Amino acid sequence: MVADKNNVRRKVVCFSDFDGTIFMQDTGHVLFDKYGCGAERRQVLDEQIKTGERSFRDVSEEMWASLNVPFENGFDVLADTLEIDPDFREFHTFCAQNDIPFNVISAGLKPVLRKVLDTFLGEEDSARIEIVANEASINEDGSEWKPIWRHDSEVGHDKALSVNEARIQARDNCGEDEVPLIVFIGDGVSDLPAAREADVLFARKGLRLEEYCQEHNIPYIPFDTFADIKREIEKILAEDQAKTGGHGKPLRFNPRANMWRRVSSKQAVPRFVAMTPSKEERMFLWPETFSELKAGQPDAAALKTPGVTTSAVA
């Protein structure tokens, strides 16, 4: 039996990029510059990704292989260098208080990301965050760092596939009166494959993802810090509370969530047809490459941007 569509709540599930989004710097860059190939060689490798001369996976393997530092020792420089979004801790607490799953989705190495979160948030709060990233093989003396890729592809981790896998799992975990609402938070073009699969897309103001969304008319919500994201998600929760309380329809129901509401049973799972990404979207550029403001770009606050999104799918 299908639940009354007028009483359906949206179960918010958050996914966030890590480097350039939760943290302002790139964790890999900090390590490579200090303990590996160095900034000059890394910039050459970045350009090889950008031009398509080499794949993200191939270049990443060279960068990680250049490291020569024991795993634990490498985190002194990360602790001293990384800056966390000033409102992320409060947002993370808000998600926990409202039973909103929060997931990191990254092309980086899971052990590194976990250690960083443990360091900045504490192990108890860090443990509440699911990390969807590549595993790693690191020998004891730190002379060999090797990614263990999630997927057999040129990018190593197909973020779009991971988001859609999570959507199916979220649907299975929803109650009869719930549908999953996938939120994605990012800053760069490399986030597009995952962002296109989300229902609500947040793009950090003034960076390449926002610029790309404006160029290609992709609906999104701009943000400066995670406080802006918290405020928007509070609106979504309030809309659903008002709706199920009989006070009219919410302001934002999105097409993908409507598709889920039309599913007639817990066993019926819609088939997804992933959009073929453009060449630019397939390039996994490092944050300082794809987060760089274009010369002469106006201040983000002055740009005309949509305040509400209905779907991140172009």
Side-chain angles (χ1 to χ4, degrees):
M1 181 177 179
V2 181
D4 182 353
K5 67 179 181 179
N6 292 320
N7 291 311
V8 172
R9 291 178 182 268
R10 293 167 291 184
K11 173 65 176 178
V12 177
V13 181
C14 285
F15 287 88
S16 176
D17 178 48
F18 195 84
D19 298 310
T21 303
I22 297 176
F23 288 88
M24 301 301 101
Q25 298 81 18
D26 182 283
T27 50
H29 279 179
V30 175
L31 292 173
F32 304 146
D33 292 355
K34 178 71 173 180
Y35 301 112
C37 59
E40 185 175 349
R41 174 59 181 168
R42 176 177 55 77
Q43 290 166 7
V44 171
L45 295 173
D46 286 340
E47 187 64 22
Q48 290 177 352
I49 300 173
K50 186 176 182 179
T51 61
E53 178 182 345
R54 295 172 65 188
S55 70
F56 171 82
R57 177 169 174 165
D58 185 31
V59 168
S60 293
E61 288 179 348
E62 179 175 332
M63 288 182 174
W64 288 111
S66 74
L67 290 179
N68 187 6
V69 60
F71 181 79
E72 292 296 331
N73 295 359
F75 287 90
D76 290 340
V77 67
L78 290 176
D80 292 339
T81 304
L82 295 179
E83 299 172 85
I84 193 169
D85 181 287
D87 296 306
F88 178 75
R89 291 181 178 88
E90 182 179 350
F91 178 79
H92 180 239
T93 300
F94 163 77
C95 288
Q97 291 173 343
N98 289 273
D99 192 29
I100 297 174
F102 183 86
N103 310 271
V104 163
I105 185 166
S106 172
L109 303 187
K110 185 174 180 178
V112 175
L113 306 187
R114 177 61 70 194
K115 180 66 175 180
V116 170
L117 289 175
D118 287 349
T119 301
F120 279 82
L121 300 181
E123 293 184 8
E124 183 177 349
D125 286 338
S126 170
R128 297 192 182 101
I129 298 176
E130 179 71 22
I131 298 177
V132 185
N134 304 298
E135 294 290 349
S137 173
I138 306 169
N139 63 4
E140 189 173 348
D141 67 1
S143 61
E144 183 179 359
W145 291 59
K146 183 178 180 181
I148 300 174
W149 302 107
R150 282 183 62 85
H151 301 120
D152 185 16
S153 68
E154 290 188 353
V155 296
H157 178 193
D158 185 338
K159 292 184 179 182
L161 178 58
S162 290
V163 169
N164 276 330
E165 289 171 349
R167 180 187 292 279
I168 293 173
Q169 183 178 1
R171 173 66 183 91
D172 291 340
N173 293 334
C174 280
E176 291 296 331
D177 60 346
E178 293 180 320
V179 292
L181 184 85
I182 304 298
V183 171
F184 186 83
I185 306 160
D187 70 307
V189 173
S190 70
D191 295 323
L192 254 294
R196 285 187 180 278
E197 303 305 319
D199 300 306
V200 180
L201 170 60
F202 289 93
R204 189 177 285 282
K205 287 183 180 179
L207 300 184
R208 190 64 186 100
L209 180 58
E210 179 183 51
E211 194 177 60
Y212 188 91
C213 288
Q214 292 172 343
E215 291 169 355
H216 297 274
N217 297 316
I218 298 172
Y220 75 101
I221 302 175
F223 76 97
D224 281 314
T225 74
F226 273 79
D228 301 322
I229 300 170
K230 175 176 176 287
R231 188 161 49 249
E232 291 296 328
I233 292 180
E234 285 175 333
K235 291 179 184 178
I236 293 174
L237 298 179
E239 288 163 3
D240 280 2
Q241 184 176 14
K243 179 176 184 292
T244 56
H247 300 296
K249 293 183 178 181
L251 299 177
R252 291 176 292 184
F253 261 96
N254 61 84
R256 193 181 289 273
N258 284 331
M259 176 183 68
W260 278 105
R261 276 204 299 285
R262 290 195 295 270
V263 177
S264 62
S265 73
K266 299 287 282 189
Q267 288 73 36
V269 179
R271 295 179 61 187
F272 294 96
V273 180
M275 297 181 66
T276 302
S278 68
K279 180 178 179 181
E280 182 179 24
E281 293 163 18
R282 288 172 55 237
M283 293 179 184
F284 268 62
L285 310 181
W286 294 101
E288 67 195 46
T289 302
F290 62 73
S291 296
E292 186 176 359
L293 285 167
K294 283 187 174 180
Q297 180 179 341
D299 181 75
L303 296 174
K304 183 178 179 181
T305 57
V308 173
T309 181
T310 56
S311 173
V313 179

